[in-house]
Amino acid sequence: MFQIGCHLSASRGFLAMGRDALKISANTFQFFTRNPRGGSAKDIDLDDVAAFRALAQKNGIQTILAHAPYTLNACAANPSVRDFTRRTMADDLRRMEHVPGNLYNFHPGSHVQQGAEKGIELIADTLNAILTPTQRTTVLLETMAGKGSEVGRSFEEIRAIIDRVALSDKLGVCLDTCHVHDAGYDIVGDLDGVLERFDAVIGLDRLKAIHLNDSKNPLASHKDRHELLGQGSLGLQAIARVINHPRLRHLPFFLETPNDLAGYGREIALLKTLREP
Ligand code: FE
Ligand code: FE
Ligand code: ZN
C-alpha cells in the first residue's frame, strides 16, 4: 500500500486532521504537537482522539507522524533551554500514548559553537532522560541540511547519537529528501549509492519515514528551503525513484512542500500517478 500524506494544521484537533487527510485522498499525515515555536499544548481532548481513532480505523489511516516544535534544541549550550526541550518532548511523548504506535520526529539540534561532538553527547543525554521502556511511540531523528551548526547533517552524526542512547530500540530516522540533498547526498544522481551508505552507517531498518520535498537550492548548499515537487533541484524523476525504490516504497511519505490543502491534494494525486504498482 502507498502510504502518502502531508503536513496538516493541528489547531482543530485530531478528527479535523483525519477529515482533512481524507479530503485530499491521503492515508496518513504529519502535524506539530504544539505551536511550532514551542509554548504550551492544548489539553488532549479524549472525545476528539476517540473519534479520530474510529475514523482512522474505518478509512485505513495508518501510521501518523507527530513533529516536535522546531525551536526546541536538545543540545543548546544554555541548560535552561535544554531543560525546556526535555520537558516539552517528554510531555509530547506522554500525549502520544493516546494515539499509540505512531511516530514522533524531532530536529536533533544546533550545537552553536560547542562542536558537533558535544552536540551529539547532549542530544543523547536528552533522549536518555525522556525515553521510557513502556512507550509505544518511535522517536525519529530527522536528517538535517547542515545549515548553521545543525547536528544530523551526516548519517555518521545520526549514528553517533543512536549509539549513545540506552533505549535505542525506541529510535528511528526520518529522511528528508530536501535536507539530505542540501547536506550533499546526491539522491538525484545516485539514490542507490546514498541508500547503501545509509544502510552501512545507520542501517535501513532504522528508517521509518520520508519527508518528501523538492529543494530550492543545489546539492550540498546546506540551505533547507523546500520547493514544490518537480519545481526544484530534485525534479519529478528523482522523486518518482524515491517513492518507488524497493527499499523505500513500504515507508510512509509526508509532503512538507509550500502548499495549502488543495495544493497538497494535487501533489498527492500526481504522486499516485507516478507510483508503480
Ligand atoms: Fe522537520
Ligand atoms: Fe522535514
Ligand atoms: Zn526543512
Side-chain angles (χ1 to χ4, degrees), residues 67 105 107 142 211 256:
H67 196 307
N105 174 66
H107 295 181
E142 182 166 354
H211 281 167
E256 300 176 310

Side-chain angles (χ1 to χ4, degrees), residues 194-205:
V194 173
L195 293 179
E196 271 164 38
R197 183 88 196 140
F198 188 105
D199 197 30
V201 176
I202 303 176
L204 275 168
D205 54 324

Side-chain angles (χ1 to χ4, degrees), residues 155-229:
F155 299 157
E156 284 77 7
E157 288 186 0
I158 303 255
R159 174 59 195 252
I161 297 166
I162 295 170
D163 278 344
R164 286 171 172 78
V165 174
L167 294 173
S168 62
D169 61 312
K170 305 295 179 190
L171 290 181
V173 176
C174 173
L175 184 145
D176 186 309
T177 55
C178 167
H179 295 180
V180 292
H181 167 267
D182 286 15
Y185 291 100
D186 185 10
I187 56 172
V188 179
D190 185 20
L191 179 61
D192 282 331
V194 173
L195 293 179
E196 271 164 38
R197 183 88 196 140
F198 188 105
D199 197 30
V201 176
I202 303 176
L204 275 168
D205 54 324
R206 290 272 182 197
L207 185 55
K208 302 297 182 195
I210 305 279
H211 281 167
L212 198 62
N213 302 306
D214 212 322
S215 172
K216 285 191 194 294
N217 291 290
L219 183 70
S221 56
H222 302 295
K223 282 285 206 300
D224 186 4
R225 298 279 312 282
H226 302 186
E227 181 54 284
L228 297 169
L229 299 186

Side-chain angles (χ1 to χ4, degrees), residues 99-124:
V99 282
N102 288 301
L103 306 167
Y104 177 65
N105 174 66
F106 78 110
H107 295 181
S110 293
H111 65 72
V112 199
Q113 293 175 3
Q114 301 174 96
E117 191 95 330
K118 183 70 183 171
I120 286 163
E121 210 176 281
L122 292 172
I123 294 159

